[in-house]
């Protein structure tokens, strides 16, 4: 074994690349594209290397810090000698209880901390692995278009087929548009409110309709609630589990990434349907070995953060979104500040396409926005602009865009 490894290394150093082991993706990777932002990042970096100082309104990467108490809790745990071992698979009880407390406080939803909560290494991880747990080849997954791309990637990696249904810029969806033969094979339905990329929120009746639809067709409704605490004014976005009986047909994904400005920490969770979560845990126990204990201790503290901290953070986003919207209006676009999320979803005037506008702004002005097509074909004709940069950068956006 040792000898084989070293001889392979030797060949890799010689120019004879033809002797290199030839690798091809599995069938289930067919149709899984590189994460759109991975390719786009290369383009942005190239612009930086050419000397452009690029302002990144494209990625939704919160720039503000988490609450101080969260950092202190993590730091205390890091200094404790007993916090460095394998943490166990299920997540510590204190964290599951903290998630249950948060759901009761925020949504008036009761969860069983032993069967209805799965701790995830970021919700994206769970969004992928749940689909590994539940899907067979030829099953169909119903995905909103435009939508967050891991729904599609996870379904395809599990060998399932993706059927997209249109999501309006107002967040409305029409499941009757799904063909009858696809409905027969459908196993999962993805929804996401408040919505990335459109910023739309959902009304209770639509969620009720989705729960009834899932029950009628024997689907698991998967609701991604990552932005429920990025909200403005009187808007109080719902959990799908507020709909009576929803936990019988639904799981909800949530995350500390956007709620507490902790995207790099990779702390998410799923709640709801116990069998779905048990099967998700089965996959995960074979893939990862649980979440680092200092992160779990910090998550417990984060989930107890007062509403005042969240309100202040949201005021910063709202102020930035208002400034960005004013700038975009001045250059001839028609943005609307959303009721939730830190995104503007802005129609692109003809003859531009989503991509032509985004590329021109990047190359000529050093302003990066996300073409709507990153989120599916239904995103054509829109760009997504994220208010996750400091106000002084937003001021510079105006000077730059007015001359391109
Ligand atoms: C940012 C985001 C998440 C959070 O993902 P994590 O993996 O928890 O960081 C989930 N869903 C959507 C739609 C998002 O935009």
């Amino acid at each position: 074994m040792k000898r084989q490894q070293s001889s392979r290394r030797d060949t890799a150093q010689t120019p004879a690349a033809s002797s290199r082991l030839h690798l091809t993706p599995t069938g289930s990777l067919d149709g899984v594209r590189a994460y759109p932002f991975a390719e786009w990042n290369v383009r942005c970096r190239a612009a930086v290397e050419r000397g452009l100082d690029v302002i990144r309104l494209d990625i939704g990467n919160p720039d503000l810090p988490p609450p101080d108490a969260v950092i202190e809790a993590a730091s205390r745990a890091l200094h404790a000698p007993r916090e460095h071992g394998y943490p166990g698979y299920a997540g510590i009880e204190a964290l599951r209880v903290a998630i249950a407390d948060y759901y009761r406080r925020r949504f008036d939803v009761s969860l069983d901390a032993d069967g209805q909560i799965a701790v995830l290494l970021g919700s994206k991880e769970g969004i992928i692995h749940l689909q590994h747990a539940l899907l067979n080849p030829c099953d169909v997954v119903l995905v909103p278009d435009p939508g967050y791309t891991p729904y599609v990637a996870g379904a395809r990696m599990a060998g399932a087929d993706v059927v997209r249904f249109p999501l309006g810029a107002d967040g409305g969806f029409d499941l009757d548009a799904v063909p009858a033969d696809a409905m027969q094979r459908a196993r999962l339905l993805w929804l996401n409110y408040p919505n990335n990329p459109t910023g739309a929120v959902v009304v209770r009746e639509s969620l009720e309709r989705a729960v009834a639809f899932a029950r009628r067709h024997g689907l698991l409704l998967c609701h991604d609630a990552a932005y429920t605490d990025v909200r403005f004014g009187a808007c109080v976005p719902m959990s799908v589990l507020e709909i009576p009986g929803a936990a019988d047909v639904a799981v909800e994904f949530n995350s500390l990434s956007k709620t507490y400005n902790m995207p790099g920490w990779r702390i998410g969770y799923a709640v709801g349907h116990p069998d779905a979560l048990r099967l998700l845990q089965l996959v995960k126990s074979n893939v990862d070995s649980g979440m680092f204990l200092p992160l779990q201790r910090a998550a417990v503290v984060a989930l107890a953060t007062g509403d005042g901290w969240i309100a202040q953070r949201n005021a910063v986003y709202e102020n930035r979104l208002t400034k960005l919207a004013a700038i975009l209006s001045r250059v001839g676009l028609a943005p609307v500040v959303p009721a939730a999320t830190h995104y503007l979803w802005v129609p692109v005037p003809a003859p531009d396409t989503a991509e032509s506008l985004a590329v021109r702004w990047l190359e000529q002005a050093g302003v990066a926005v996300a073409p709507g097509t990153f989120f599916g074909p239904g995103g054509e004709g829109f760009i997504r602009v994220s208010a996750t940069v400091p106000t002084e950068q937003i001021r510079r956006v105006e000077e730059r865009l007015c001359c391109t």
Side-chain angles (χ1 to χ4, degrees):
M1 188 65 197
K2 261 220 164 91
R3 180 175 305 158
Q4 229 175 7
Q5 268 180 0
S6 70
S7 75
R8 190 178 298 165
R9 206 173 304 127
D10 291 343
T11 8
Q13 283 165 356
T14 67
S18 60
S19 62
R20 183 185 298 160
L21 180 65
H22 183 59
L23 299 175
T24 51
T26 63
S28 60
L29 270 185
D30 207 31
V32 176
R33 294 193 309 142
Y35 202 57
F37 280 102
E39 289 170 9
W40 179 254
N41 277 340
V42 173
R43 203 189 258 270
C44 288
R45 267 201 305 275
V48 170
E49 269 156 31
R50 285 199 311 276
L52 265 178
D53 149 45
V54 176
I55 298 176
R56 300 292 301 259
L57 307 174
D58 51 344
I59 35 178
N61 187 4
D63 61 311
L64 297 165
D68 289 338
V70 174
I71 295 169
E72 284 153 20
S75 165
R76 263 196 315 278
L78 275 173
H79 286 97
R82 295 173 60 86
E83 298 277 306
H84 298 268
Y86 287 117
Y89 297 104
I92 57 174
E93 191 186 359
L95 177 52
R96 285 178 284 113
V97 167
I99 293 166
D101 288 348
Y102 167 82
Y103 258 68
R104 180 182 304 283
R105 202 173 70 235
R106 172 65 179 81
F107 303 112
D108 200 16
V109 164
S110 309
L111 295 171
D112 172 3
D114 279 327
Q116 288 190 300
I117 299 174
V119 172
L120 305 171
L121 309 182
S123 55
K124 186 177 175 185
E125 179 261 302
I127 288 167
I128 301 289
H129 283 142
L130 179 76
Q131 306 199 80
H132 271 284
L134 297 182
L135 295 172
N136 288 302
C138 299
D139 285 344
V140 160
V141 178
L142 305 177
V143 174
D145 180 23
Y148 186 52
T149 55
Y151 314 142
V152 172
R156 294 213 172 123
M157 282 191 254
D161 295 331
V162 169
V163 171
R164 300 176 196 264
F165 60 89
L167 186 78
D170 64 352
F173 56 90
D174 180 10
L175 294 165
D176 296 333
V178 179
D181 60 322
M183 265 328 299
Q184 278 181 351
R185 292 190 287 133
R187 297 281 311 278
L188 300 187
L189 163 63
W190 284 100
L191 289 177
N192 162 222
Y193 295 101
N195 184 256
N196 175 12
T198 66
V201 291
V202 73
V203 293
R204 174 180 284 269
E205 294 68 45
S206 299
L207 277 187
E208 282 169 350
R209 206 156 40 82
V211 168
F213 182 88
R215 186 168 284 128
R216 195 160 63 245
H217 293 278
L219 305 174
L220 183 69
L221 170 58
C222 301
H223 183 239
D224 179 350
Y227 292 92
T228 39
D229 272 328
V230 181
R231 55 200 170 95
F232 313 119
C235 177
V236 186
M238 289 179 64
S239 160
V240 74
L241 299 182
E242 290 179 50
I243 309 293
D248 298 337
V249 292
V251 288
E252 180 158 272
F253 288 85
N254 215 320
S255 170
L256 275 56
S257 296
K258 314 294 160 47
T259 302
Y260 303 111
N261 304 339
M262 297 169 71
W265 295 55
R266 315 308 305 129
I267 304 175
Y269 53 95
V271 296
H273 195 290
D275 298 341
L277 298 182
R278 192 171 40 75
L279 293 169
L280 172 57
Q281 288 285 15
L282 176 65
V283 172
K284 282 176 56 59
S285 66
N286 283 283
V287 174
D288 64 68
S289 296
M291 182 184 292
F292 188 39
L293 285 170
L295 296 180
Q296 297 196 58
R297 309 280 180 216
V300 170
V301 172
L303 286 158
T305 301
D307 294 344
W309 183 92
I310 291 182
Q312 271 182 5
R313 188 275 317 277
N314 288 341
V316 174
Y317 280 148
E318 190 178 16
N319 183 277
R320 292 172 176 179
L321 285 167
T322 307
K323 288 197 163 70
L324 277 168
I327 293 168
L328 296 178
S329 302
R330 258 171 251 141
V331 299
L333 304 189
V336 178
V337 175
T341 80
H342 45 64
Y343 301 117
L344 297 172
W345 183 243
V346 191
V348 170
D352 261 312
T353 63
E355 184 142 356
S356 72
L357 183 74
V359 169
R360 191 170 70 252
W361 281 7
L362 172 63
E363 307 277 327
Q364 297 180 10
V367 174
V369 297
T373 43
F374 279 11
F375 309 96
E380 184 51 274
F382 289 85
I383 51 169
R384 193 196 69 178
V385 180
S386 180
T388 43
V389 301
T391 311
E392 109 259 347
Q393 287 193 33
I394 291 175
R395 263 189 230 110
R396 300 214 309 275
V397 169
E398 178 163 31
E399 299 153 24
R400 294 183 183 196
L401 287 188
C402 67
C403 356
T404 50

